[in-house]
């Protein structure tokens, strides 16, 4: 078997495609697993079932953390985290995180630059997909300034981008170039590229006070009430609407003064408010330059934890309510805990979120489905996608729970359910039927 050298900034799926092509393997992921396993002793890996990223790192002759930081989008997608922020990207001690987060895209589609393609063919005899081109908001090549093209085909990365030069979708060149030159967008892209190569995430609890301080310094509201002077309003004013719509759909059209927790929440939520894009947008409008933002982030990451968590703990200690026991009793229903114990909802939310215990219920008649999905993922051994399909919930809803979850969540779930291999849940009509491995405790 031939192991090709990986190229600087080459996206991991591009390397996989070249590996498949050079070794004349069928273009299916499972063939890589079976073929590579037949040639590599399993003792080379920490598990008898290595993930795709572990196999690719071995084939590229790179340490796993180095491969993850240089050739996947995991560092970008987890540049701000509340769940296990102490882990470096690609930490070999958390294979579940590697399986869950290391191979995912940051936006739909596969993007490439025609100038890069032609240059690659001329200099190295082939073209490859660049990781930097796959970052959200990147619509012009950072090296050549020309509009990118993109493909929406499944498994597009398995073939070189030169395959799609004549069939890819074209991005309006003037629109892409104008946006690429916009000062705020340049700050966003520069920060994104820097964070995408970071060694470990920045912890939400540590950077939230930093963002709050900066917001108050320029006259923004530093709390969760709606009204004028919102962070989301400043972001809408700063960035071009069409470009911003591609980063955060619906944000440009929001009414002035209307609070959006997924954006404004970066100032007051104890766990990730939404995607990392919200935090990058916030840093772009609260700091004068990417360097100033990174300097502040680096300094804050070394500082002592904020006093907010102690303040919440002190306010909760004044009550006789055991929030964790209530969390188990209500199966993670924050609203029920507040109502049935006469507590302020924000006190319950902050107290539980500071312990990594997010709300596990949703509105509507199928309130338990999100809980089912969470149990499937954490206790049932299913992937995140499988868990969402079986429970009939949106994948992004389950992702939100995982982003907000802490180390205590698994222990709480184990208290809520008994593991049983004898039961299965009915999958929604038209979806794949997958095993459901939990049986509920009686209320």
């Amino acid at each position: 078997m031939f192991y090709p050298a990986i190229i600087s900034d080459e996206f991991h799926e591009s390397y996989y495609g070249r590996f498949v092509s050079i070794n004349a393997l069928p273009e299916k992921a499972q063939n890589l697993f079976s073929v590579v396993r037949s040639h590599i002793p399993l003792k080379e890996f920490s598990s008898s079932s290595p993930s795709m990223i572990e196999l690719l790192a071995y084939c590229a002759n790179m340490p796993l953390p180095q491969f993850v930081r240089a050739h996947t989008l995991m560092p970008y997608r987890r540049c701000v985290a509340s769940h296990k922020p102490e882990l470096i990207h690609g930490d070999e001690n958390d294979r579940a995180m590697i399986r869950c987060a290391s191979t995912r895209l940051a936006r739909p589609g596969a993007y490439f630059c025609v100038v890069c393609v032609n240059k690659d063919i001329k200099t190295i005899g082939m073209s490859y997909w660049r990781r930097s081109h796959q970052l959200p908001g990147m619509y012009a090549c950072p090296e050549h300034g020309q509009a990118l093209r993109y493909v929406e085909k499944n498994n597009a990365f398995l073939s070189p981008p030169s395959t799609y030069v004549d069939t890819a979708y074209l991005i309006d060149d003037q629109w892409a170039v104008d946006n690429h030159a916009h000062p705020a967008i340049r700050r966003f892209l520069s920060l994104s590229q820097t964070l995408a190569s970071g060694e470990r995430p920045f912890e939400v609890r540590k950077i939230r006070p930093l963002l709050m301080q900066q917001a108050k310094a320029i006259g923004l509201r530093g709390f969760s009430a709606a009204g004028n002077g919102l962070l989301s309003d400043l972001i809408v004013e700063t960035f071009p609407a069409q470009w911003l719509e591609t980063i955060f759909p619906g944000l440009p059209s929001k009414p002035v003064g209307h609070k959006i927790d997924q954006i404004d929440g970066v100032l007051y939520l104890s766990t990730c408010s939404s995607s990392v894009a919200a935090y990058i947008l916030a840093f772009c409008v609260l700091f004068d330059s990417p360097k100033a933002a990174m300097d502040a982030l680096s300094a804050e990451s070394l500082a002592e934890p904020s006093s907010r968590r102690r303040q919440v703990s002190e306010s909760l200690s004044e009550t006789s309510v055991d929030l964790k026991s209530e969390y188990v009793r209500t199966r993670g229903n924050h609203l029920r805990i507040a109502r049935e114990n006469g507590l302020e909802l924000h006190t319950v939310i902050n107290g539980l979120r500071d312990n990594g215990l997010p709300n596990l219920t949703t509105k509507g008649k199928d309130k338990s489905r999100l809980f089912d999905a969470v149990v499937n993922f954490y206790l049932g051994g299913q992937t995140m996608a499988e868990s969402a399909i079986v429970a009939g919930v949106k994948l992004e809803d389950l992702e939100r729970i995982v982003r907000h979850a802490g180390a205590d969540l698994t222990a709480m779930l184990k208290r809520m359910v008994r593991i049983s291999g004898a039961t299965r849940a009915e999958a929604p009509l038209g979806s794949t039927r997958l095993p459901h491995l939990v049986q509920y405790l009686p209320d």
Side-chain angles (χ1 to χ4, degrees), residues 5 47 78 103 110 120 129 143 154 189 192 247 262 268 271 288 326 340 356 361 369 418:
S47 168
R78 270 184 53 80
T103 59
D120 292 341
W129 299 92
E143 181 180 354
N154 290 335
L189 296 176
S192 296
I247 300 295
Q262 294 91 330
Y268 51 80
T271 51
D288 294 331
E326 288 296 286
E340 295 174 9
T361 62
R369 285 190 172 183
R418 291 192 184 98

Side-chain angles (χ1 to χ4, degrees), residues 53-54 57-58 60-69 71 90 92:
I53 291 298
E54 291 173 289
Y58 180 89
N61 195 28
M62 291 180 68
L64 181 60
Q66 181 183 348
F67 184 90
V68 168
R69 290 199 299 270
H71 300 287
E92 296 177 350

Side-chain angles (χ1 to χ4, degrees), residues 222-238:
F223 49 88
S224 60
N228 295 327
L230 293 174
L231 173 64
S232 55
D233 291 335
L234 179 59
I235 290 173
V236 171
E237 293 172 7
T238 303

Side-chain angles (χ1 to χ4, degrees), residues 99-100 104 369-370 372-396 398-399 424-428 431-437:
R99 286 184 179 275
C100 174
R104 303 196 63 189
R369 285 190 172 183
L370 185 57
D372 294 344
V374 173
V375 172
N376 286 348
F377 179 67
Y378 280 95
L379 304 182
Q382 297 179 0
T383 67
M384 192 178 298
E386 290 171 344
S387 301
I389 290 173
V390 169
V393 301
K394 295 180 179 179
L395 181 58
E396 53 264 34
L398 180 55
E399 288 178 332
R424 290 176 180 265
E426 291 298 321
S431 67
T432 304
R433 185 181 300 277
L434 298 168
H436 183 73
L437 303 178

Side-chain angles (χ1 to χ4, degrees), residues 13 20-21 42 65 76 79 107-108 139 149 171 184 186 221 268 274 283 296-297 333 365 375-376 394 400 418 428 431:
E13 288 198 35
V20 166
S21 177
L42 288 179
Y76 172 84
C79 65
R107 63 173 173 180
Y139 293 104
R149 302 185 183 188
I171 298 173
R186 291 185 71 86
R221 289 181 178 270
Y268 51 80
S274 62
F283 272 100
L297 277 171
N333 190 322
K365 62 181 181 180
V375 172
N376 286 348
K394 295 180 179 179
R400 185 181 68 253
R418 291 192 184 98
S431 67

Side-chain angles (χ1 to χ4, degrees), residues 130-152:
R130 285 164 166 77
R131 184 183 70 144
S132 56
H133 290 164
Q134 315 313 317
L135 291 171
M138 185 75 73
Y139 293 104
C141 177
E143 181 180 354
H144 302 110
Q146 181 167 319
L148 300 179
R149 302 185 183 188
Y150 68 98
V151 181
E152 291 184 337

